[in-house]
Amino acid sequence: SVHILSPGYVNARLEKETPIFNKQRIDFAPPEKINSLVVSSNQLCMSLGKDTLLRIDLGKPDEPNQVELGRKDEAKVYKMFLDHTGSHLLIALNTSECLYLNRNVQKVRALSRWKGHLIESVGWNKFLGSETNTGPILVGTSQGQIYEAEISVSEGSLFSTNPDQYFRQVYTLEEESGPAPVCCLEIERGLEGKFFIIATTRKRLFQFVGKVPEGTEQQGFSSIFAVHAEHLPSFREFPANLGFSEIAFYTPKLRSNPRSFAWMMGNGVLYGTLDYSRPDSILSDERVWVYPPDIDITVNKPISIVLTQFHFLLLLPDRVKAVCTLNGQVVFQDLFLEKFGLLTRMIKDPTVQQIWIHTEKVVFRYHVQRESRDVWKMYMNMNKFDLAKEYCKDRPECLDIVLAKEAEHCFQNKRYLDSAKCYALTQNYFEEIALKFIEAKQEEALMEFLIKKLSNLKPSEKTQTTLLTTWLTELYLNWLGILQGDPSQRNLYLDTREKFRTFLSSPKNKDCLFNNRASIYELLASHGDTEHMVYFAVIMQDYERVVAHHCQHDEYDEALNVLSRHRDEKLFYKFSPVLIQHIPKKVVDAWISMGSRLDARNLIPALVNYSQSASTQQINEAIRYMEFCVYQLEETQQAIHNYLLSLYALCRPDSLLSYLEQAGTNPNRIHYDLKYALRLCAEHGHHRACVHIYKVMELYEEAVDLALQVDVDLAKSCADLPEDDEELRKKLWLKIARHVVQEEKDVKKAMACLSSCALLKIEDVLPFFPDFVTIDHFKEAICNSLEDYNKHIEELKREMEEATQSAKRIREDIQEMRNKYGSVEPQEKCAACDFPLLNRPFYLFLCGHMFHYDCLLQAVFPNLPAYKQAKLEDLQKKLAATSQPSKSHHRPKDADSISLGKGQQSREQIKADIDDIVAAECVYCGELMIRSIDKPFIDPQKYEEEMQSWL
């Protein structure tokens, strides 16, 4: 057998733990005997001897504070009471007097209004009390009276004349024999302003319940006691009598109100919880735990009681006993040595959960450590398994014991499903538990056990996961098979089916099921469960198997729904050939909904196969999808456009021509194959379409030839297309004219051709007419032609006369320009440099501007084209060369004269050439200024330099 899980810690031995109540003796030797000790909020006060009071802040234990009571008489401390803040200390004396000491002062003050009453108990106000004011408090006396009082410390001198603000009686407690001492007082606040006051005598526990209106809490509790003036409040009474009683409360650290109580009285300890939602009584779940057998109230009666979360501690003269509040058993006993003396008092600091015990000589302190450590056992033995698990959730070895016990308990009580859930969480042997359910024939519980066990496995435990998954699948299939055959179990079958589907679709099982899907498919097939086979395939995203299953069973709509839902392109390509044969419209709708995710080229085979065997009506579906691709998706693939063309040619000739025209005539922007389209249209006799394609291919002669077989007007539109080639256009129109004359023998239409094309003349058309045609048919055309020739001749004559006149005027202008001159005044200045003009060679322009030669050259040169700049520089060099004197002094005179003449003539020519370049136009009024309009005033390269010069 295979061990699914082995126990890891069931039998592990628990390490020895420290005691719950760990005692510590305080290193303190009192100079006098300890009379009384109280502690609260880490503030400890003890009465030593007759007149000394010692105060210790436990946060600073090395700094004790000693206060003298200042009593000269024989008065002794009877009891001390310390409030919840550790600020207010009341000292009751056996002389029926009471003293008060505030934490912040050193002087003890007498409470004059309290004189004459022996104080037995104090109920502190935890809701209104502060460091300087107690708020309304309750005081119980030995005569049974309950007084309401308030103590306040003034801010100026710390004490007013009387710190006790008031002291008034509000109630008297009685037993059957009359007034009885008020042993304990406690004030608690419930919901909606309701207050609960608990008071105890030796045999009775009283409850006073009432509301204090909001905002009037400072007025005290008189209104609550006034309600019970005429009738007794509710109380618990027990017959035995210790001569006193004491009540203790347990308050969790994070809560302001106590949660449970324990009242020590003659018959035992009354224990219960506090329920603040109850209207008349705060006490709930009460029970009496009798004292252990070794406690005899006539001999060694308990002295004090302290309550913790799960225990109450009883103080006896020589020992301490801790009793569990869950079962009443003594779980701890601590015996004190005789040398310490008799135990006097036991108290608990509620804020830090520490317990203090003292004799007349020694002080002890108990620390409560992990009190709930063994609570789980008690709850487990009480069959309160939920509580047991709550208290051992961080201790897996204990939790396993509780779960095993709970599982066994449920199994014995035939709660098999609950048992299975618990067993799955334990570390018991897997085979043992499984066999237990198999022997009990509890398949449903076994399945629950396996499911829970599977959910608790780690990802690394793959073998165990595979085994459990396969076994559960087999069990589910068996169970479903049994239930399916029983109509009375229909609801159970549906519920089980839902659970099985949840199991199959569980994300945690996904990897295991995917890795072992072949085995699961075999199991499903062996049970003939095709429904869940399809369901499982969908979960595994094995949509190919799902679609194939639907197709095999002629469920084409379902198959298409799966494809549409999961939008897998590969599955569309694979199953579209089958589906389009049966539901073409829906398939095309699905393709369209997929949009650009599908490559239409991969669907063409399905469409081709379908269109070969389908009717014209069904082919329209193929056309619809192809049109969607072309017009909506704007597909440019040639195969798609070619296929759409073939469908148009086959079924929709009208759409064919509109498609071709919409595609345009630019070959670079056409997505179909022109040669394929031409062949296709020719095969199907679509001549107009062929003509259009010829036009796109710029085969105008073929277009006109074919168009003439269809429509002369169509041919005419083709003949005008080659706009840049007049020769070809004339040739095409001649074809049309020949066709009209020779084929249609329509002279009028031939004459119309002449008017349609300006390139054709009557003499071009005459050769096409037969010899028998008389001139009357085109007499008008010939006359029009002759008139055109005459007009053309007259036009040429007029142009010649105008040219002669223009030449004459030009000659006259030239002669006039030669004789033109201008006068320059001596004071005239250069327009560029503003210096006198006559100092250097200069130019005078007709516009009136005058420039020095060098100033004009400097202004014009940068704006000249590069080739003119080069020519100007060359001319300047030649001019400079001609002005240099000859270096030879021995040349003949005639030769020198000839050379000078030639040089002088060359120099004048050079200067004329320079003038043509430099002085061609005024630099301010000519085109040069217009061309420079977009140039910046300051050269960008010199901008920074110019800007700095202005700073």
Side-chain angles (χ1 to χ4, degrees), residues 111-124:
L111 302 177
S112 59
R113 292 187 175 90
W114 298 41
K115 192 171 182 178
H117 302 285
L118 184 61
I119 307 303
E120 290 285 349
S121 58
V122 175
W124 296 104

Side-chain angles (χ1 to χ4, degrees), residues 454-587:
L454 179 62
S455 65
N456 293 329
L457 290 179
K458 299 176 183 177
S460 59
E461 298 173 311
K462 295 182 179 179
T463 304
Q464 294 91 327
T465 302
T466 302
L467 189 150
L468 291 181
T469 302
T470 309
W471 191 2
L472 274 168
T473 303
E474 177 71 25
L475 289 173
Y476 267 121
L477 291 172
N478 288 337
W479 188 238
L480 287 171
I482 294 170
L483 294 176
Q484 193 172 17
D486 188 353
S488 63
Q489 300 289 333
R490 177 65 178 170
N491 291 334
L492 181 58
Y493 167 76
L494 294 175
D495 185 53
T496 306
R497 185 182 69 175
E498 187 61 30
K499 288 181 180 178
F500 181 44
R501 292 184 173 183
T502 303
F503 166 75
L504 291 177
S505 59
S506 170
K508 187 169 184 180
N509 304 332
K510 184 176 181 179
D511 290 341
C512 177
L513 290 170
F514 182 80
N515 294 332
N516 298 278
R517 59 188 182 279
S519 301
I520 304 298
Y521 280 131
E522 289 179 7
L523 278 175
L524 292 166
S526 66
H527 283 266
D529 195 341
T530 56
E531 178 185 3
H532 284 106
M533 182 181 290
V534 172
Y535 182 83
F536 180 68
V538 171
I539 294 172
M540 292 295 103
Q541 297 184 355
D542 190 358
Y543 302 119
E544 183 175 349
R545 184 186 292 267
V546 177
V547 176
H549 170 81
H550 288 310
C551 290
Q552 289 171 3
H553 292 79
D554 297 337
E555 299 169 350
Y556 302 110
D557 286 335
E558 287 296 324
L560 184 59
N561 287 338
V562 173
L563 290 176
S564 300
R565 191 162 53 248
H566 300 289
R567 305 173 75 83
D568 188 328
E569 298 88 347
K570 294 180 180 178
L571 294 183
F572 266 105
Y573 300 147
K574 182 172 183 178
F575 291 101
S576 287
V578 176
L579 296 175
I580 200 168
Q581 299 290 339
H582 300 88
I583 48 173
K585 184 178 185 307
K586 293 182 179 179
V587 170

